[in-house]
Amino acid sequence: KPLSKKKRSTMATMLAFSIQNPGDDGKVISLPKPEPEPNFALIKILRAGVCNTDLEILQGYMGFTGVLGHEFVGIVEELNVPQNTIDSDANSSRTLNVIDLYDKWLGKRVCGDINVGCGDCGVCLNEHNRDACCAKFSRNHCPNRTVLGILNKNGTMAEYITLPITNLHLVPPGMSDEVAVFCEPLAAACRIPEQGLVNYGYGADGQNLQPPDRVAVYLRPPDRVAILGDGKLGLMIAEVLGREHARRNPVASPPPILFGKHAHKLGLVEGSGVERRFVSECMDDTAFNGVSKEHAGKYDVVVDATGSPAGLTISSGLCRPMGTLVLKSTCAAGKEFNAAPFVIDELRVVGSRCGPIDTALELLNLDAVTPPVASPTPTPNQETDRNGASGPVSDEREPIQPLRVEKYITQTFPLSEAADAIRCAALKSTMKVQIICSE
C-alpha cells in the first residue's frame, strides 16, 4: 500500500487550471485528485510559476490539453512504494529501502525534473552510455516520455500532482517557497554550461583551465558570449552565464554581453557578471544581416532567448563563422525561415532545454562569490587575446552578488484566479507571475 503520513484525504477532487482543447484560454475547474502510480509521489503544490512556454501552449504549442504548468515547489504527501522496492539514490553511495524513502521524502518540500521517462527503454537505461558523452541524455530524451504540463501529463497549476520519486529534489531548509519555484527556469539556464557549450580557455594539455593552475595564455582563448533577449529566460541565462564566467575565467577577459530592449529589465542583472547593452547598439538596418559591423560575427557563442523567430536573424548575424548558436526559446508562431546564413557561415545550431535542478538549487543558495585571480603570464599585468594582442589584466575583480530572484516577481495570484495570472504574465511589463496553490 502507498506510504503516507496520514490517511488519504476524503477530498476526492481538486482545483486546477486546465486547457480543454488545444489553443483554448483555459479555466479553473474541479478535477479528480490524482493517485500516485507505483514508485510515484503525490505532491501538494504550494506555488507554481508561469513562464513563456505556458503562454505558447495556450496558443496551441504542442497541442497540449490538460492542467498547465511545470514550475513548482510542493510537499510530498504520499509515496506509493511497493514493500519489496530497493531504490538507488543517485546522490548517495548507499541503497535506499522503503523506510529510507519514507524518511527522506515524506513531508519534505521538493522541486522536480519535468520529464517523466518510461524507465524501460534503452535511453532510460542508458544502454549505450550516452550520458557519458551527451550530458544527461537519459534525463531529457526518453522517446516515450511525458512532460509535466507540456506533453501528456497534467501540470503544476493545481492543488496536487504526481511525479516519480526519482524526479524529486529536496529544497534546502530556509529557502522560501517563492525562491524555490525559480529552480526550474534557472535549471534551464544551467543547461548551457551542463552541455559544455561555452569554452572558458584551454591549456597545452587540452583541458579546461581550472584554479589554481589556470593562466592567462591559452592555446584556445575563452569564448566571447552574447545573449539576445531580456525576457524572463534571457535574464536567468544572464544570471547563470555571468556567474559561470566569473567562476571559471582566470583573467579579466570580456564577460558575456546581454542585449535587451528594456532598461529596467537590464538593470535586474546588475551584479551578475554580465555586460548589459541595448539591442539597438548591435543593429543596423542597412546591413545585409541587420547587424552593425561593430558586432557582426564577433561572438563565438550566441544564445537566442528572444522567443521570436525574428531573433534568429540577429543572432546568426552576431555569431562568427563556425560559431555556436544556442536556441533556448520555444515559439508557436511561424515565419518563413532563411537557412542561407546558417549554411554559409557553417554555424553550429544547438537546442538547449531542461537542465539540472540540483545545480539550480545550489546556485539559489549561494552567497556572494569573489572571482579568483590567477597570475598572468608571460608578462605581468598582460593577457594575450585570440588575435595575439595584449591588454591589461585587473588584479581586482568585483565580487558577484548572491542571486536574489525575488526581484523578478511582479505579482502573485491564488489558484482560483489563475486566468488573471495568465493574463498578467502575458503583459510586456510583467516579469514573473506565481500562483499560490495551497497555503
Side-chain angles (χ1 to χ4, degrees):
K1 294 181 180 180
L3 292 172
S4 177
K5 184 188 290 186
K6 56 186 178 181
K7 293 182 179 179
R8 178 179 288 276
S9 171
T10 56
M11 181 183 70
T13 61
M14 67 174 185
L15 290 180
F17 181 79
S18 182
I19 302 169
Q20 303 301 302
N21 297 292
D24 280 358
D25 289 339
K27 60 182 179 180
V28 177
I29 62 174
S30 180
L31 290 176
K33 182 179 175 181
E35 295 190 11
E37 304 168 46
N39 295 312
F40 274 58
L42 176 69
I43 302 162
K44 180 180 181 179
I45 301 296
L46 299 173
R47 286 198 180 212
V50 183
C51 86
N52 280 342
T53 299
D54 300 320
L55 302 181
E56 295 289 341
I57 287 172
L58 288 165
Q59 297 179 45
Y61 172 66
M62 296 294 291
F64 178 76
T65 60
V67 180
L68 192 62
H70 54 276
E71 302 175 2
F72 78 97
V73 61
I75 296 177
V76 176
E77 281 206 349
E78 188 174 312
L79 298 174
N80 185 354
V81 184
Q83 294 296 317
N84 60 351
T85 293
I86 298 295
D87 187 33
S88 178
D89 179 5
N91 297 316
S92 174
S93 60
R94 74 188 187 98
T95 300
L96 298 178
N97 61 29
V98 175
I99 301 303
D100 289 328
L101 288 170
Y102 181 95
D103 291 339
K104 179 177 180 179
W105 297 111
L106 204 59
K108 304 299 196 318
R109 286 189 308 151
V110 295
C111 298
D113 295 308
I114 69 174
N115 295 284
V116 180
C118 68
D120 296 321
C121 68
V123 173
C124 289
L125 298 175
N126 194 27
E127 282 184 349
H128 302 291
N129 197 27
R130 286 196 175 96
D131 281 349
C133 59
C134 306
K136 295 297 181 181
F137 184 85
S138 61
R139 182 190 64 209
N140 288 356
H141 295 292
C142 169
N144 309 310
R145 70 184 178 275
T146 60
V147 184
L148 195 62
I150 297 174
L151 178 66
N152 297 329
K153 183 165 180 59
N154 281 338
T156 61
M157 296 182 193
E159 292 179 295
Y160 289 91
I161 64 166
T162 63
L163 269 183
I165 298 169
T166 53
N167 281 46
L168 303 182
H169 298 266
L170 292 170
V171 174
M175 182 179 290
S176 69
D177 292 341
E178 64 180 359
V179 168
V181 175
F182 279 88
C183 72
E184 197 284 329
L186 192 65
C190 292
R191 177 63 173 161
I192 296 173
E194 183 183 51
Q195 288 174 285
L197 298 179
V198 179
N199 157 56
Y200 292 97
Y202 285 84
D205 60 355
Q207 299 299 312
N208 224 199
L209 298 170
Q210 296 291 332
D213 301 319
R214 52 191 186 173
V215 294
V217 175
Y218 304 94
L219 295 183
R220 179 181 173 185
D223 284 340
R224 291 293 310 275
V225 178
I227 304 159
L228 190 63
D230 58 4
K232 294 180 281 290
L233 182 55
L235 294 174
M236 289 294 102
I237 293 168
E239 298 276 19
V240 169
L241 294 188
R243 287 170 171 81
E244 190 73 0
H245 174 271
R247 182 179 72 86
R248 299 184 63 179
N249 223 323
V251 294
S253 60
I257 297 178
L258 172 65
F259 291 102
K261 294 181 178 180
H262 311 92
H264 71 284
K265 292 183 178 180
L266 293 173
L268 289 169
V269 293
E270 182 179 5
S272 67
V274 298
E275 183 178 333
R276 298 158 291 154
R277 295 191 183 183
F278 288 109
V279 69
S280 57
E281 295 181 31
C282 71
M283 296 179 67
D284 182 355
D285 293 337
T286 65
F288 77 96
N289 58 6
V291 178
S292 67
K293 64 180 181 180
E294 291 81 8
H295 293 280
K298 294 298 194 322
Y299 301 93
D300 303 282
V301 178
V302 178
V303 182
D304 181 80
T306 61
S308 166
L312 281 177
T313 302
I314 301 173
S315 296
S316 62
L318 291 169
C319 199
R320 68 164 171 83
M322 300 186 73
T324 300
L325 178 56
V326 183
L327 303 184
K328 282 302 299 187
S329 299
T330 55
C331 186
K335 185 180 179 181
E336 185 176 342
F337 175 68
N338 179 15
F342 300 88
V343 176
I344 293 170
D345 285 339
E346 298 183 307
L347 299 183
R348 176 192 181 204
V349 181
V350 182
S352 183
R353 196 166 60 95
C354 303
I357 297 288
D358 51 350
T359 301
L361 288 168
E362 290 173 6
L363 185 56
L364 288 169
N365 233 16
L366 282 181
D367 292 327
V369 175
T370 302
V373 177
S375 300
T377 56
T379 305
N381 295 319
Q382 294 288 305
E383 68 168 307
T384 303
D385 69 14
R386 67 183 64 255
N387 298 313
S390 295
V393 175
S394 173
D395 290 329
E396 295 183 2
R397 302 182 67 184
E398 291 296 323
I400 303 302
Q401 299 302 313
L403 180 49
R404 305 300 187 207
V405 291
E406 300 94 329
K407 63 189 174 185
Y408 291 108
I409 301 174
T410 300
Q411 196 168 348
T412 59
F413 293 82
L415 180 58
S416 60
E417 298 175 14
D420 293 332
I422 296 293
R423 284 188 284 271
C424 179
L427 299 174
K428 289 186 177 180
S429 59
T430 297
M431 289 308 303
K432 196 66 179 178
V433 170
Q434 292 186 352
I435 298 173
I436 300 174
C437 299
S438 303
E439 295 293 347

